Amino acid sequence: MIIDNNKIILLQDKLDEAAMLYYEQKDGKLKYLDCLEAITKAFLNEEDLDNEEIVHILSELDQIDFNSEEVRQAILYLIIKGFKHQHLPLDTITPDRIGVICAHLIDALFEGKDKVYLMDLNLGTGNLVYTINNYSDLELYLMGIENNETMIKVAQIFSEMMMQDVQIYFQDALKDNFPQVDLVIADVDSDEYHSDTYESELTKLNINYFPYLLIEKHQYSGDEDTQFMFIVPNDFFSQKGSDEFKKAISENLEMVALIVLPETMFVDPSLAKSILIMQKQKQGEKRIPVSVFNLPSISDQEAFITMITEIKKELKERRFH
């Protein structure tokens, strides 16, 4: 995919200019993200804002073809601006580089498959799945769960501008299991989950670490060939209830690989994460030890590419052993 940075800058500048005009037209009573949503709908001819100046600005983009990745990067820049305007945490947006790495890993896991049904249990802005979709060689059917209306609005801005279909479930991630899914994925944080109505084997033991509960719940999603990919904090296995968590999933899931991402990939090293890959445990098959990889800094491109190639080879061998 050829990416034209000049097109990205042009698109983000024109959409931002139009959004700021609309913000002023509304006397600052709307949030920037609301204005951006209105502008994208106007750009797609879904809404008439009755503002000739905005129409003129958007018309300057009419004769330009943008590919999906150029649109995603331009919109991401504006989403970040909107997050800053509302003082929303930026670490809820999965970094692009993680999405690109996941795309390579997914291609290895599902090589030769015609279509992959992907479910993101923690959709957020959607940046993770949209990045994966743009960099994967596979045909992906995107689904996601999200219970925050602002995040859903952002995910829809992305999808509409990219003309990328995504099926969004507005609900709690611990509500349902999903049988028709090939890949379960999620970028999860170290949150505690408390609910008067949700109960599981772990919560009965007073273990409320959300990543544990999420995996415990969705070990029953998909079928025997379903793969799981979780982006987890580096202290994932040192949380209270780690042993109980491993026991709770031991009959259904086996850990395949743990890929430790370089700290240089994160603004704050204390927020560094790893990619945990799991698969359904097949009856009668012997468990293979978990493969652990430490990715080098992306600045050392040769070492980085060599390691990614090694991981992809390992995943292919593990899946078809």
Side-chain angles (χ1 to χ4, degrees), residues 235-253:
D235 61 358
F236 178 81
F237 289 109
S238 61
Q239 296 292 323
K240 171 194 170 185
S242 175
D243 290 339
E244 290 83 353
F245 161 71
K246 293 174 185 176
K247 182 179 179 181
I249 65 170
S250 61
E251 291 186 8
N252 291 295
L253 296 179

Side-chain angles (χ1 to χ4, degrees), residues 33-34 36-41 43-44 46 71-72 75-76 79 83 123-127 129-130 142 144 146 148-170:
L33 288 176
D34 295 323
L36 179 62
E37 179 185 31
I39 292 303
T40 56
K41 289 184 180 300
F43 178 70
L44 298 169
E46 296 176 0
V71 173
R72 188 195 66 79
I75 294 298
L76 177 60
I79 295 302
F83 268 47
L123 182 66
T125 64
N127 193 53
V129 294
Y130 298 135
L142 304 180
E146 182 53 56
N148 181 290
E149 292 185 7
T150 297
M151 294 298 181
I152 289 178
K153 177 186 297 183
V154 171
Q156 289 174 331
I157 291 173
F158 266 123
S159 68
E160 290 173 6
M161 284 295 294
M162 294 169 62
M163 297 184 181
Q164 172 61 59
D165 291 334
V166 58
Q167 185 173 351
I168 301 176
Y169 296 86
F170 181 31

Side-chain angles (χ1 to χ4, degrees), residues 95-153:
D96 292 357
R97 288 175 177 174
I98 294 180
V100 175
I101 292 170
C102 288
H104 286 292
L105 302 180
I106 291 166
D107 284 353
L109 286 170
F110 294 97
E111 186 178 55
K113 191 171 179 64
D114 293 333
K115 190 170 187 177
V116 175
Y117 287 79
L118 182 157
M119 169 63 78
D120 188 336
L121 302 178
N122 192 28
L123 182 66
T125 64
N127 193 53
L128 174 60
V129 294
Y130 298 135
T131 304
I132 289 172
N133 191 66
N134 282 351
Y135 285 92
S136 172
D137 294 329
L138 300 167
E139 181 183 357
L140 303 177
Y141 182 89
L142 304 180
M143 299 173 284
I145 301 173
E146 182 53 56
N147 63 2
N148 181 290
E149 292 185 7
T150 297
M151 294 298 181
I152 289 178
K153 177 186 297 183

Side-chain angles (χ1 to χ4, degrees), residues 182-314:
D182 299 305
L183 174 65
V184 175
I185 192 168
D187 181 358
V188 292
D189 293 315
S190 295
D191 296 326
E192 291 283 314
Y193 181 89
H194 297 279
S195 170
D196 294 333
T197 58
Y198 183 74
E199 184 177 86
S200 73
E201 292 303 312
L202 291 180
T203 61
K204 290 176 184 177
L205 299 173
N206 199 30
I207 297 169
N208 299 294
Y209 184 56
F210 179 68
Y212 289 172
L213 300 184
L214 189 70
I215 298 173
E216 178 197 27
K217 172 69 177 180
H218 287 280
Q219 64 180 310
Y220 302 108
S221 287
D223 57 28
E224 64 176 9
D225 294 319
T226 297
Q227 304 287 315
F228 298 79
M229 186 176 292
F230 297 102
I231 302 163
V232 299
N234 282 348
D235 61 358
F236 178 81
F237 289 109
S238 61
Q239 296 292 323
K240 171 194 170 185
S242 175
D243 290 339
E244 290 83 353
F245 161 71
K246 293 174 185 176
K247 182 179 179 181
I249 65 170
S250 61
E251 291 186 8
N252 291 295
L253 296 179
E254 67 170 324
M255 299 181 193
V256 174
L258 181 68
I259 302 161
V260 182
L261 300 171
E263 290 185 349
T264 53
M265 197 173 285
F266 301 86
V267 176
D268 183 349
S270 68
L271 300 177
K273 291 187 172 184
S274 299
I275 300 174
L276 175 63
I277 300 176
M278 312 174 82
Q279 65 184 16
K280 289 293 180 82
Q281 172 64 32
K282 295 181 175 62
Q283 286 190 346
E285 287 193 3
K286 183 180 179 181
R287 288 180 182 265
I288 300 175
V290 180
S291 298
V292 179
F293 302 91
N294 286 281
L295 269 183
S297 171
I298 200 168
S299 61
D300 187 348
Q301 289 195 4
E302 184 177 350
F304 184 85
I305 293 172
T306 298
M307 180 64 76
I308 291 293
T309 302
E310 180 183 338
I311 295 170
K312 290 173 68 175
K313 181 174 180 290
E314 172 88 7

